[in-house]
Amino acid sequence: MHGVDEWTLDGVLDELVSIDQRMRDRQFAFILGAGASAASGIPTAGQLAQKWLRDIHRRECGDQHSLDDWLASFDIGAGALTLDAAADFYPQIFERRFRGDHEAGYAALEEAMDGKFPSLGYSFLAEIIQKTRHKVVVTTNFDNLVADALAMHAHQSPLVVAHESLAGFVRPQLRRPLVAKIHRDLFLQPINDAAGVSAMEQGWKIALKKVFQQATPIFVGYGGNDGSLMDMLTALDKGEVAGRMVWCYREGSPPPPKAHVLLDKHEGLLVKITDFDLFMLQLAARLVQGFDVA
């Protein structure tokens, strides 16, 4: 293994534009995680997990141990759990915090996402989806920001597939935008538990494999902490993903080891970006004819 190639942002943008102009049979599929929704005011998985850890500590620690001392001996993470690493253990923390009453957990998520509006990055993504052939979004998020942005700015309703029972409707070539919510929708018992997050239902595997045979994945705001999508992509044979997948990461938030394994197998690329909003602005300005930020 020679290691994963890392390119400059300008180099990646140039390559994406070249593919867009010269390879009409190739699409881009945007893979979004919680980081994409942070600018819209929705807490990240790490922020929610930290809050819930404090709740659990307040409930269960009766001997006045500090939070850090308590975490060191907590029965999640085998000593590796810290506040900074809370996102890595999000499903286990959710299960513990809302054990016996998952509906209360769903209500907490609804409250966290209620009244939030798409950030500028989602508006720029909607422009790309509306005015280019790149119309596929795969997300682990429960929110409706992609659909909201399309309704507000592109005046186009996407096909939102928010449950594994509907995965058969996912096809590489669709007349309208596709939003594949692989962990379900906020109102359809979103998948938060460790077993659900770590394993992908077979219908999704079949549908997404067909998508990625024709679409290059671009990961933005995605931490790679769920095993389901990461394992599904890593299990694909070399050549079953169209082109070189692009993993965008922010300064101070390096990709996890699983991402390096995935990118190394499929000869993908790493690129450092400032944030989701600015990256989508830069990409829209390069891909959309006559793009005007106003």
Side-chain angles (χ1 to χ4, degrees), residues 149-185:
L150 282 166
M152 292 165 60
H153 301 284
H155 308 294
Q156 190 173 29
S157 297
L159 170 63
V160 178
V161 180
H163 196 279
E164 58 273 15
S165 62
L166 304 174
F169 291 98
V170 173
R171 300 189 305 277
Q173 300 296 335
L174 290 165
R175 289 184 294 277
R176 60 178 51 251
L178 167 69
V179 180
K181 304 175 80 167
I182 61 173
H183 288 169
R184 298 186 186 168
D185 184 84

Side-chain angles (χ1 to χ4, degrees), residues 19-283:
I19 291 169
D20 175 67
Q21 293 176 349
R22 297 171 183 167
M23 303 180 71
R24 295 292 177 180
D25 59 339
R26 176 86 59 81
Q27 304 175 55
F28 301 137
F30 298 95
I31 316 298
L32 306 184
S37 299
S40 301
I42 293 178
T44 65
Q47 290 169 336
L48 288 171
Q50 288 176 3
K51 178 183 184 301
W52 295 336
L53 276 176
R54 291 189 175 95
D55 291 344
I56 301 168
H57 173 251
R58 185 174 176 84
R59 290 175 176 180
E60 299 185 10
C61 186
D63 54 11
Q64 305 305 311
H65 273 72
S66 70
L67 179 60
D68 288 338
D69 289 343
W70 174 76
L71 284 174
S73 60
F74 193 39
D75 57 3
I76 291 175
L81 176 59
T82 63
L83 272 184
D84 288 341
D88 297 341
F89 302 95
Y90 172 93
Q92 296 93 327
I93 295 168
F94 176 89
E95 283 190 85
R96 181 63 165 267
R97 168 62 178 83
F98 298 106
R99 185 164 57 194
D101 190 2
H102 279 190
E103 286 296 329
Y106 303 149
L109 291 171
E110 287 182 35
E111 181 184 38
M113 298 178 192
D114 189 45
K116 301 303 191 293
F117 294 95
S119 68
L120 285 173
Y122 279 100
S123 300
F124 301 138
L125 175 59
E127 280 286 300
I128 293 172
I129 290 172
Q130 181 190 28
K131 296 181 179 177
T132 74
R133 65 181 177 280
H134 313 298
K135 299 183 181 298
V136 175
V137 175
V138 178
T139 180
T140 56
N141 297 339
F142 310 132
D143 60 60
N144 294 307
L145 294 177
V146 177
D148 289 347
L150 282 166
M152 292 165 60
H153 301 284
H155 308 294
Q156 190 173 29
S157 297
L159 170 63
V160 178
V161 180
H163 196 279
E164 58 273 15
S165 62
L166 304 174
F169 291 98
V170 173
R171 300 189 305 277
Q173 300 296 335
L174 290 165
R175 289 184 294 277
R176 60 178 51 251
L178 167 69
V179 180
K181 304 175 80 167
I182 61 173
H183 288 169
R184 298 186 186 168
D185 184 84
L186 179 60
F187 306 114
L188 295 175
Q189 292 190 323
I191 296 174
N192 277 275
D193 62 290
V197 170
S198 64
M200 180 175 285
E201 196 272 342
Q202 187 64 20
W204 274 126
K205 289 182 181 179
I206 295 170
L208 292 179
K209 179 177 179 178
K210 293 177 182 177
V211 168
F212 292 130
Q213 286 174 340
Q214 298 186 30
T216 297
I218 301 176
F219 300 86
V220 195
Y222 174 68
N225 293 315
D226 71 307
S228 57
L229 181 59
M230 293 295 288
D231 290 347
M232 176 264 165
L233 286 167
T234 304
L236 293 177
D237 291 333
K238 191 172 179 179
E240 287 191 305
V241 176
R244 302 186 74 177
M245 57 180 65
V246 177
W247 189 291
C248 304
Y249 73 96
R250 295 178 60 179
E251 182 82 48
S253 298
K258 268 191 169 185
H260 284 270
V261 172
L262 170 66
L263 296 171
D264 188 76
K265 176 175 181 178
H266 294 289
E267 298 186 293
L269 301 169
L270 284 170
V271 59
K272 184 170 20 177
I273 65 172
T274 302
D275 58 32
F276 171 71
D277 285 358
L278 183 55
F279 175 74
M280 295 313 305
L281 168 61
Q282 293 165 314
L283 186 58

